[in-house]
Amino acid sequence: MKRRSFLASSAIAAIGINTFFVTGCDSKSNDKNTSASGEEFNLSFELDEESIASLQSKLKSGTFTSEQLVRLYLNRIEEIDKKGPKLNSVIEVNPDALTIAKQIDEELKAGKTRGAMHGIPVLIKDNIDTADKMQTTAGSLAMAGNIASNDATVVKKLRDAGAVIIGKTNLSEWANFRSTQSSSGWSSRGGQTKSPYFLDHNPCGSSAGSGTAVSANLCVVAVGTETDGSIVCPASVNGIVGIKPTVGLVSRSGIIPISKTQDTAGPMARTVSDAAILLGVLASIDQKDPLTLESKGKSVTDYSSFLKLDGLKGKRIGIENKPQGENQYLNALFDDAIKLLEKQGATVVKIDYIDKINALGQAEFEVLQYEFKDGLNQYLATANAKVKTLKDVIDFNSKNEDKAMPYFKQETLLSSNAKKDLKASEYQNSLEKSFEGSKKILNEVMAQNSLDAICGITMGPSCSIDTIYGDRWGTYSLTSPAAMSGYPHITVPCGLVYELPVGLSFFGKPYTEGLLISLGYAYEQATKKRAVPQYKVSFLS
């Protein structure tokens, strides 16, 4: 079965139990650290673990201006993303960010406020169009120089809300749809993004840069995109919150596509509260994306109303009857999570569904290949890139192999380009099997057991970076059920295994983001499992 890089063999084997730490200090005892290259950097940062609410309070009190916040974040990006540990999560900074922040400050001085995001620095993924001086490349050298003519709808929403876009984040090239042996977080334009916990470990993809940047406090919140796992996986392994909305809640207009059936943008944040605020900004009905018309009357502009401490009380939560894997530490972590859910008043119900979902994997991959070719060709036809078709991208990579494909190749691009149009019976049959089939499985199991949501470990801990042989993510993966069906999914920090973060997932029926936020918030507040990264370097013994 070939889908994305999260479907590989053994993540646990790639982690290694006997890990030897050669650098990395306790920030309480020593605020300085030295990178592998010998550069000294500060472990702590003036804006560490700030939230949207705390920064708004400081903006209102005059402790900071938006310009000062932007400058601090840009300096921190330089200190630890470009230098020091060189996280490599930001592919490009916005040269106009300080100018925009000054304009925002003038509005604040005049007593004008556009809402919770006014003056708040944000990073967005480099597959989202911005009509400014920044490029939109999906991490591909073939797309270098592409300056979008128009803002993506989500970008317009952010700007209208007063957010300051300070840069774009690196990603798995083509949103992890180039090769079956890819290293998540690597792109030919941006290089390899690293985990801020262990620098030789993988931040997962494709929203790798967004996940690492939020976790490392390079911004308050970021926007990622997901087709299958690309928000929730990097959120899980980077110890943050990620929300993959119902497909149709957030406009995809102006976002480089993979799948019209499964693509969506969504918030990535350190807290459920911040993710909820950002989701309210991103959600919209957009005539440019007809699927969003289905969200009319089903979305809200303020998801913070669902932040309830007793959100788990009286809820029925389904968990797969069969263990997700055999790792004793991960299973113990999940057992503790289940006990907490029950302590908070939820009823946990054993269900059987995951094998049925996994059996649809090849059908999903067929759908993605067909829709990627169709969607990308449409996007490139009107983009300001030198390449105008998927075939042009493939040819560019082949002609520039040393730079564009120094490690893994482009077999997924090739197999996608070989597909026919969306009228093909193979596509129609695969779509029925994957999309409609996954919805039927989830709807039936939820109805039969009167479930409010389904829960499980999001992903196992981060695997080692391996640009030659690719990722090894193992059996602990709960990305596909909500991805195939287009249903909403939230992941919240659940704890550490091998000193690496692991997330807990809740997913459910379409447009139940509010309910999932309530569940995630109640769990988050009862556990407080977010761990601040320490930028350690490890060698596997």
Side-chain angles (χ1 to χ4, degrees):
M1 180 169 58
K2 300 176 181 177
R3 287 212 300 278
R4 312 272 302 276
S5 62
F6 53 78
L7 287 176
S9 52
S10 175
I12 304 304
I15 296 166
I17 296 177
N18 299 312
T19 304
F20 176 60
F21 309 120
V22 296
T23 68
C25 311
D26 185 342
S27 61
K28 294 179 181 179
S29 60
N30 189 342
D31 198 41
K32 291 285 186 179
N33 203 352
T34 303
S35 70
S37 60
E39 293 178 296
E40 196 173 72
F41 64 96
N42 291 309
L43 269 174
S44 63
F45 169 49
E46 190 172 359
L47 300 179
D48 271 347
E49 302 300 288
E50 292 279 4
S51 66
I52 292 172
S54 67
L55 288 184
Q56 280 295 349
S57 176
K58 287 169 180 166
L59 286 171
K60 290 174 183 176
S61 69
T63 304
F64 287 114
T65 64
S66 181
E67 180 187 357
Q68 288 172 328
L69 293 179
V70 169
R71 195 178 299 278
L72 283 168
Y73 280 120
L74 291 178
N75 288 343
R76 187 60 169 170
I77 289 169
E78 182 66 23
E79 181 182 16
I80 70 168
D81 203 64
K82 305 308 176 188
K83 299 177 181 177
K86 296 181 180 177
L87 297 174
N88 212 32
S89 66
V90 179
I91 200 168
E92 185 173 6
V93 295
N94 185 356
D96 294 327
L98 289 170
T99 300
I100 295 169
K102 289 177 184 178
Q103 295 169 350
I104 292 295
D105 286 330
E106 290 301 316
E107 292 184 11
L108 292 172
K109 287 178 185 177
K112 178 181 178 180
T113 179
R114 306 187 199 180
M117 290 297 295
H118 199 172
I120 299 298
V122 178
L123 285 165
I124 66 171
K125 190 175 177 181
D126 180 40
N127 61 348
I128 303 174
D129 284 347
T130 53
D132 51 24
K133 295 174 184 175
M134 291 188 290
Q135 302 175 61
T136 304
T137 69
S140 172
L141 286 177
M143 292 288 288
N146 179 45
I147 303 292
S149 298
N150 300 290
D151 282 339
T153 299
V154 294
V155 170
K156 185 178 185 302
K157 294 282 291 179
L158 287 168
R159 297 197 203 276
D160 289 348
V164 182
I165 299 172
I166 61 173
K168 290 193 174 183
T169 55
N170 196 23
L171 68 160
S172 309
E173 187 170 322
W174 293 114
N176 238 355
F177 212 68
R178 199 190 89 180
S179 171
T180 56
Q181 291 183 288
S182 64
S183 172
S184 291
W186 185 93
S187 71
S188 58
R189 179 177 170 229
Q192 178 67 55
T193 302
K194 305 171 186 175
S195 163
Y197 293 87
F198 289 98
L199 301 178
D200 65 343
H201 276 61
N202 194 297
C204 201
S206 63
S207 304
S210 295
T212 291
V214 169
S215 186
N217 285 278
L218 302 182
C219 58
V220 190
V221 291
V223 179
T225 67
E226 173 162 328
T227 304
D228 189 329
S230 290
I231 288 175
V232 294
C233 180
S236 176
V237 305
N238 281 291
I240 64 171
V241 176
I243 299 177
K244 197 250 355 156
T246 305
V247 175
L249 184 71
V250 176
S251 173
R252 288 87 53 84
S253 176
I255 299 176
I256 297 176
I258 290 179
S259 166
K260 65 178 183 178
T261 302
Q262 296 182 198
D263 286 353
T264 183
M268 302 177 76
R270 288 183 292 275
T271 66
V272 175
S273 176
D274 282 357
I277 292 170
L278 182 53
L279 180 62
V281 171
L282 298 178
S284 70
I285 294 173
D286 181 11
Q287 297 294 332
K288 296 178 183 177
D289 184 356
L291 193 59
T292 62
L293 299 176
E294 296 181 8
S295 70
K296 186 176 182 179
K298 302 172 185 176
S299 65
V300 299
T301 56
D302 183 8
Y303 283 93
S304 60
S305 62
F306 295 98
L307 300 172
K308 300 176 181 178
L309 289 173
D310 63 349
L312 286 161
K313 187 175 181 180
K315 300 299 187 295
R316 290 177 61 84
I317 310 295
I319 64 168
E320 170 61 39
N321 186 48
K322 183 179 70 175
Q324 286 178 254
E326 298 179 354
N327 184 271
Q328 60 179 318
Y329 305 112
L330 280 165
N331 289 341
L333 201 66
F334 189 39
D335 288 343
D336 287 343
I338 292 171
K339 291 175 184 176
L340 189 282
L341 298 181
E342 293 175 330
K343 185 178 179 180
Q344 293 294 310
T347 299
V348 175
V349 182
K350 295 286 186 72
I351 58 175
D352 294 295
Y353 77 100
I354 198 66
D355 285 344
K356 297 175 184 177
I357 292 288
N358 288 340
L360 306 179
Q362 186 57 41
E364 179 196 21
F365 186 58
E366 293 296 338
V367 169
L368 300 189
Q369 290 175 95
Y370 274 96
E371 293 187 348
F372 178 62
K373 178 184 178 180
D374 179 76
L376 185 61
N377 282 340
Q378 289 186 47
Y379 175 89
L380 291 176
T382 59
N384 297 320
K386 295 178 182 178
V387 288
K388 293 299 180 183
T389 65
L390 174 55
K391 178 63 165 53
D392 289 347
V393 174
I394 291 169
D395 290 345
F396 175 92
N397 289 342
S398 297
K399 292 175 183 177
N400 299 275
E401 189 167 1
D402 288 349
K403 291 182 178 180
M405 301 188 297
Y407 306 115
F408 49 90
K409 304 306 175 185
Q410 57 178 346
E411 58 271 21
T412 305
L413 298 187
L414 290 165
S415 64
S416 297
N417 195 55
K419 297 298 182 184
K420 298 178 182 179
D421 61 30
L422 300 189
K423 296 178 182 178
S425 59
E426 181 184 49
Y427 168 71
Q428 297 292 337
N429 293 336
S430 296
L431 183 65
E432 178 69 21
K433 186 175 182 180
S434 173
F435 182 53
E436 298 299 336
S438 60
K439 290 195 293 184
K440 181 180 179 181
I441 291 167
L442 294 179
N443 290 346
E444 286 181 353
V445 75
M446 293 190 74
Q448 291 168 1
N449 294 278
S450 302
L451 300 179
D452 294 288
I454 297 174
C455 176
I457 294 292
T458 309
M459 291 291 298
S462 171
C463 64
S464 299
I465 292 171
D466 190 336
T467 53
I468 299 173
Y469 296 107
D471 299 341
R472 296 192 288 169
W473 286 107
T475 58
Y476 292 84
S477 174
L478 208 61
T479 68
S480 293
M484 289 186 194
S485 59
Y487 288 2
H489 183 172
I490 185 172
T491 180
V492 182
C494 183
L496 300 175
V497 173
Y498 311 117
E499 298 189 57
L500 289 161
V502 173
L504 185 72
S505 284
F506 297 94
F507 61 91
K509 294 179 181 179
Y511 303 105
T512 57
E513 282 81 2
L515 168 62
L516 298 182
I517 286 168
S518 291
L519 301 178
Y521 182 74
Y523 177 81
E524 172 196 57
Q525 294 301 305
T527 58
K528 303 284 188 179
K529 294 291 187 179
R530 158 74 181 161
V532 180
Q534 297 292 302
Y535 317 105
K536 295 177 180 178
V537 178
S538 65
F539 290 102
L540 299 181
S541 60

PDB file of all heavy atoms in Angstrom, residues 21 46 57 174 194 206 219 230 234 278 280 334 369:
ATOM      1  N   PHE A  21      22.295  11.537  24.945  1.00  0.00           N
ATOM      2  CA  PHE A  21      22.166  12.967  24.736  1.00  0.00           C
ATOM      3  C   PHE A  21      23.546  13.612  24.838  1.00  0.00           C
ATOM      4  O   PHE A  21      24.198  13.523  25.851  1.00  0.00           O
ATOM      5  CB  PHE A  21      21.229  13.576  25.787  1.00  0.00           C
ATOM      6  CG  PHE A  21      19.919  12.860  25.885  1.00  0.00           C
ATOM      7  CD1 PHE A  21      19.520  12.265  27.060  1.00  0.00           C
ATOM      8  CD2 PHE A  21      19.093  12.758  24.774  1.00  0.00           C
ATOM      9  CE1 PHE A  21      18.314  11.604  27.152  1.00  0.00           C
ATOM     10  CE2 PHE A  21      17.881  12.105  24.859  1.00  0.00           C
ATOM     11  CZ  PHE A  21      17.495  11.509  26.051  1.00  0.00           C
ATOM     12  N   GLU A  46      11.967  35.570  25.318  1.00  0.00           N
ATOM     13  CA  GLU A  46      11.075  36.493  26.005  1.00  0.00           C
ATOM     14  C   GLU A  46       9.600  36.191  25.778  1.00  0.00           C
ATOM     15  O   GLU A  46       8.762  36.441  26.658  1.00  0.00           O
ATOM     16  CB  GLU A  46      11.386  37.924  25.551  1.00  0.00           C
ATOM     17  CG  GLU A  46      10.702  39.005  26.355  1.00  0.00           C
ATOM     18  CD  GLU A  46      11.196  40.394  26.001  1.00  0.00           C
ATOM     19  OE1 GLU A  46      12.092  40.492  25.142  1.00  0.00           O
ATOM     20  OE2 GLU A  46      10.694  41.368  26.576  1.00  0.00           O
ATOM     21  N   SER A  57      -3.346  41.120  25.765  1.00  0.00           N
ATOM     22  CA  SER A  57      -3.307  41.880  27.016  1.00  0.00           C
ATOM     23  C   SER A  57      -2.110  42.827  27.038  1.00  0.00           C
ATOM     24  O   SER A  57      -2.217  43.986  27.472  1.00  0.00           O
ATOM     25  CB  SER A  57      -3.240  40.914  28.199  1.00  0.00           C
ATOM     26  OG  SER A  57      -3.117  41.614  29.421  1.00  0.00           O
ATOM     27  N   TRP A 174       5.826  19.425  -2.212  1.00  0.00           N
ATOM     28  CA  TRP A 174       4.535  19.075  -2.806  1.00  0.00           C
ATOM     29  C   TRP A 174       3.606  18.429  -1.761  1.00  0.00           C
ATOM     30  O   TRP A 174       2.823  17.540  -2.062  1.00  0.00           O
ATOM     31  CB  TRP A 174       4.687  18.169  -4.029  1.00  0.00           C
ATOM     32  CG  TRP A 174       5.351  18.853  -5.179  1.00  0.00           C
ATOM     33  CD1 TRP A 174       6.565  18.553  -5.724  1.00  0.00           C
ATOM     34  CD2 TRP A 174       4.856  19.967  -5.917  1.00  0.00           C
ATOM     35  NE1 TRP A 174       6.862  19.432  -6.737  1.00  0.00           N
ATOM     36  CE2 TRP A 174       5.829  20.309  -6.893  1.00  0.00           C
ATOM     37  CE3 TRP A 174       3.685  20.730  -5.862  1.00  0.00           C
ATOM     38  CZ2 TRP A 174       5.665  21.369  -7.784  1.00  0.00           C
ATOM     39  CZ3 TRP A 174       3.526  21.779  -6.759  1.00  0.00           C
ATOM     40  CH2 TRP A 174       4.504  22.090  -7.697  1.00  0.00           C
ATOM     41  N   LYS A 194      13.763  20.268  11.195  1.00  0.00           N
ATOM     42  CA  LYS A 194      14.129  19.367  12.283  1.00  0.00           C
ATOM     43  C   LYS A 194      13.103  19.421  13.419  1.00  0.00           C
ATOM     44  O   LYS A 194      12.389  20.411  13.580  1.00  0.00           O
ATOM     45  CB  LYS A 194      15.497  19.757  12.848  1.00  0.00           C
ATOM     46  CG  LYS A 194      16.621  19.816  11.830  1.00  0.00           C
ATOM     47  CD  LYS A 194      17.870  20.412  12.455  1.00  0.00           C
ATOM     48  CE  LYS A 194      18.960  20.631  11.434  1.00  0.00           C
ATOM     49  NZ  LYS A 194      20.140  21.323  12.027  1.00  0.00           N
ATOM     50  N   SER A 206       2.884  16.967   6.129  1.00  0.00           N
ATOM     51  CA  SER A 206       3.720  17.877   5.378  1.00  0.00           C
ATOM     52  C   SER A 206       3.868  19.253   6.018  1.00  0.00           C
ATOM     53  O   SER A 206       4.765  20.017   5.645  1.00  0.00           O
ATOM     54  CB  SER A 206       3.151  18.046   3.960  1.00  0.00           C
ATOM     55  OG  SER A 206       1.861  18.638   3.981  1.00  0.00           O
ATOM     56  N   CYS A 219       6.411  31.754  16.568  1.00  0.00           N
ATOM     57  CA  CYS A 219       5.175  32.483  16.291  1.00  0.00           C
ATOM     58  C   CYS A 219       4.183  32.076  17.362  1.00  0.00           C
ATOM     59  O   CYS A 219       4.455  31.172  18.167  1.00  0.00           O
ATOM     60  CB  CYS A 219       4.634  32.144  14.899  1.00  0.00           C
ATOM     61  SG  CYS A 219       4.302  30.375  14.666  1.00  0.00           S
ATOM     62  N   SER A 230      -1.324  15.665   7.514  1.00  0.00           N
ATOM     63  CA  SER A 230      -0.324  16.724   7.380  1.00  0.00           C
ATOM     64  C   SER A 230      -0.466  17.881   8.357  1.00  0.00           C
ATOM     65  O   SER A 230       0.433  18.702   8.465  1.00  0.00           O
ATOM     66  CB  SER A 230      -0.315  17.261   5.948  1.00  0.00           C
ATOM     67  OG  SER A 230       0.217  16.298   5.075  1.00  0.00           O
ATOM     68  N   PRO A 234       2.333  16.438  12.328  1.00  0.00           N
ATOM     69  CA  PRO A 234       3.325  17.367  12.861  1.00  0.00           C
ATOM     70  C   PRO A 234       2.898  18.031  14.167  1.00  0.00           C
ATOM     71  O   PRO A 234       3.746  18.375  14.994  1.00  0.00           O
ATOM     72  CB  PRO A 234       3.509  18.395  11.735  1.00  0.00           C
ATOM     73  CG  PRO A 234       2.370  18.199  10.813  1.00  0.00           C
ATOM     74  CD  PRO A 234       1.925  16.783  10.955  1.00  0.00           C
ATOM     75  N   LEU A 278      -8.100  30.813  16.088  1.00  0.00           N
ATOM     76  CA  LEU A 278      -7.646  30.868  14.694  1.00  0.00           C
ATOM     77  C   LEU A 278      -8.643  30.183  13.759  1.00  0.00           C
ATOM     78  O   LEU A 278      -8.873  30.661  12.645  1.00  0.00           O
ATOM     79  CB  LEU A 278      -6.269  30.224  14.569  1.00  0.00           C
ATOM     80  CG  LEU A 278      -5.626  30.243  13.176  1.00  0.00           C
ATOM     81  CD1 LEU A 278      -5.575  31.644  12.594  1.00  0.00           C
ATOM     82  CD2 LEU A 278      -4.234  29.634  13.226  1.00  0.00           C
ATOM     83  N   GLY A 280     -11.837  30.127  14.018  1.00  0.00           N
ATOM     84  CA  GLY A 280     -12.933  31.059  13.780  1.00  0.00           C
ATOM     85  C   GLY A 280     -12.605  32.086  12.714  1.00  0.00           C
ATOM     86  O   GLY A 280     -13.490  32.531  11.974  1.00  0.00           O
ATOM     87  N   PHE A 334      -1.659   5.663  26.528  1.00  0.00           N
ATOM     88  CA  PHE A 334      -3.055   5.654  26.113  1.00  0.00           C
ATOM     89  C   PHE A 334      -3.965   5.151  27.237  1.00  0.00           C
ATOM     90  O   PHE A 334      -5.066   5.680  27.437  1.00  0.00           O
ATOM     91  CB  PHE A 334      -3.224   4.807  24.855  1.00  0.00           C
ATOM     92  CG  PHE A 334      -4.589   4.902  24.229  1.00  0.00           C
ATOM     93  CD1 PHE A 334      -5.267   6.113  24.171  1.00  0.00           C
ATOM     94  CD2 PHE A 334      -5.195   3.789  23.671  1.00  0.00           C
ATOM     95  CE1 PHE A 334      -6.522   6.211  23.592  1.00  0.00           C
ATOM     96  CE2 PHE A 334      -6.444   3.871  23.092  1.00  0.00           C
ATOM     97  CZ  PHE A 334      -7.109   5.090  23.048  1.00  0.00           C
ATOM     98  N   GLN A 369      -3.938  10.470  -6.426  1.00  0.00           N
ATOM     99  CA  GLN A 369      -3.150  10.624  -7.655  1.00  0.00           C
ATOM    100  C   GLN A 369      -3.975  11.302  -8.757  1.00  0.00           C
ATOM    101  O   GLN A 369      -3.496  12.229  -9.421  1.00  0.00           O
ATOM    102  CB  GLN A 369      -2.671   9.250  -8.133  1.00  0.00           C
ATOM    103  CG  GLN A 369      -1.613   8.621  -7.240  1.00  0.00           C
ATOM    104  CD  GLN A 369      -1.274   7.217  -7.706  1.00  0.00           C
ATOM    105  OE1 GLN A 369      -0.330   7.005  -8.450  1.00  0.00           O
ATOM    106  NE2 GLN A 369      -2.074   6.255  -7.271  1.00  0.00           N
TER     107      GLN A 369
END
